[in-house]
Amino acid sequence: MKAVQVMSYGAADVLRVNEVARPAPGPGEVLVSVEASSVNGHDVIVRAGGLKMVSGRRFPIGVGLDFAGVVAATGADVEGYRAGDRVWGTVHPRQRHTTGGAAEYVVVPADRIAPAPAGISPVEAASLVVAGTTALTALRDSTHLAAAERILVRGAAGGVGTAAVQLAHAMGAHVTALARDRHAPLLTGLGADEVLDYGSTTSDAIGPFDVILDTVGSELNCYRSRLTKSGRMATVALSAPALAAIAASSVHGSRRIRTFSANPDTPVLRDLADHVTSGALRPVVDGVYPLTDTAAAHQAFERGGTAGKHVIQVAA
């Protein structure tokens, strides 16, 4: 089978599409024939060597944190799935893999997949797996967003941001989206009550907010100061400056900057599918790339300024 692999740490040109042996599912595992995967920040950080303590220094390393596809085979002790079932899921972000979701087949534990929602394509499904579960975890479990609260979504046009805007709107919150001005029509259509241009908006001129969800990772303390007295803030950015701000904010109690592990299992993936089925969440895809152009998808992700997700189409 074909799989995208990191052959050494570095820029996107270290990625290679290699021919490797198709894996076989062990007990409790499922073999998925992958139809689509997406580019996530985790993939780019691993490729660049930012998580060497997890990925190590042995190559090749697999690429692709998420996937949508069809069950090809199941291992012993797997119940509830059979060949031909459409599913979506993730590989474990804190384990080393020689192949990931950007491959023709992937093996994962059965508790890391769930039935994919009907009515959307594999490309659309792949665009929502990590982005959607991250946004859902941030709003529901980390910041406990409630109806009628005011939330700021910073970096609202990205994958996590577009999902968060929709989910926050569905939860009954007043949603302010901070993004490039050209993305305002998209974000309003997704449910944002207000869209602010990040290029001309300073943190001290907005708020206060009950919840702030950050996907950018800079100026975190400045934005934290825009919380209400009972406000909560979470970031999905894990850069060195962001980690320093998170640590320093611990003295602020409930108004500290939170981070969390977006490591979805079957129940979270099922919950996300329910939001898609209900119409509360729809995919936003910026670009679709064949497996052979995964490096180009990584480059587009790193350039930024996109609306939604970059998706790798594995099977036509």
Side-chain angles (χ1 to χ4, degrees):
M1 72 170 192
K2 291 181 173 60
V4 179
Q5 296 177 309
V6 176
M7 304 310 293
S8 63
Y9 292 127
D13 57 6
V14 303
L15 297 174
R16 294 288 184 273
V17 181
N18 294 328
E19 195 71 33
V20 303
R22 191 175 87 172
E29 294 181 331
V30 177
L31 175 68
V32 177
S33 175
V34 178
E35 295 177 307
S37 180
S38 80
V39 181
N40 295 284
H42 178 273
D43 303 314
V44 173
I45 293 171
V46 168
R47 187 212 72 216
L51 290 173
K52 291 178 183 177
M53 292 190 66
V54 175
S55 55
R57 296 182 179 276
R58 291 185 294 113
F59 298 97
I61 298 169
V63 173
L65 189 58
D66 53 22
F67 56 86
V70 178
V71 172
T74 59
D77 304 322
V78 172
E79 298 180 355
Y81 298 102
R82 60 183 180 180
D85 288 346
R86 292 202 165 273
V87 296
W88 62 0
T90 66
V91 300
H92 199 295
R94 294 189 298 276
Q95 294 178 357
R96 186 184 184 280
H97 303 272
T98 57
T99 59
E104 291 181 316
Y105 291 89
V106 65
V107 164
V108 292
D111 63 3
R112 299 198 66 82
I113 64 170
I120 61 174
S121 70
V123 164
E124 293 172 322
S127 75
L128 285 173
V129 179
V130 167
T133 55
T134 299
L136 183 61
T137 301
L139 300 180
R140 184 185 65 184
D141 304 326
S142 181
T143 61
H144 307 288
L145 179 68
E149 288 193 314
R150 297 179 63 86
I151 179 174
L152 172 70
V153 180
R154 187 172 178 233
V160 175
T162 51
V165 166
Q166 295 177 78
L167 292 171
H169 174 74
M171 292 176 180
H174 181 281
V175 184
T176 299
L178 186 60
R180 294 174 187 263
D181 189 57
R182 69 171 181 266
H183 296 314
L186 167 68
L187 294 167
T188 300
L190 295 178
D193 297 285
E194 183 179 15
V195 181
L196 303 177
D197 178 18
Y198 90 95
S200 59
T201 302
T202 58
S203 61
D204 59 357
I206 58 176
F209 299 98
D210 301 294
V211 171
I212 296 176
L213 175 58
D214 170 79
T215 71
V216 180
S218 61
E219 301 181 272
L220 294 185
N221 286 317
C222 294
Y223 281 92
R224 191 201 61 77
S225 70
R226 308 314 299 160
L227 289 172
T228 62
K229 289 184 178 180
S230 60
R232 293 87 66 201
M233 180 175 177
T235 182
V236 301
L238 294 179
S239 63
L243 292 173
I246 291 166
S249 76
S250 62
V251 299
H252 297 287
S254 65
R255 296 173 74 238
R256 71 189 187 279
I257 303 169
R258 306 150 194 250
T259 188
F260 55 92
S261 174
N263 187 17
D265 56 10
T266 297
V268 177
L269 290 164
R270 286 184 179 275
D271 289 347
L272 188 70
D274 289 342
H275 284 289
V276 176
T277 301
S278 72
L281 179 64
R282 66 179 175 89
V284 181
V285 178
D286 188 275
V288 181
Y289 303 77
L291 190 68
T292 52
D293 283 347
T294 299
H298 274 231
Q299 290 166 344
F301 177 93
E302 291 178 291
R303 283 195 297 270
T306 58
K309 294 284 290 189
H310 298 286
V311 179
I312 309 302
Q313 185 166 18
V314 181

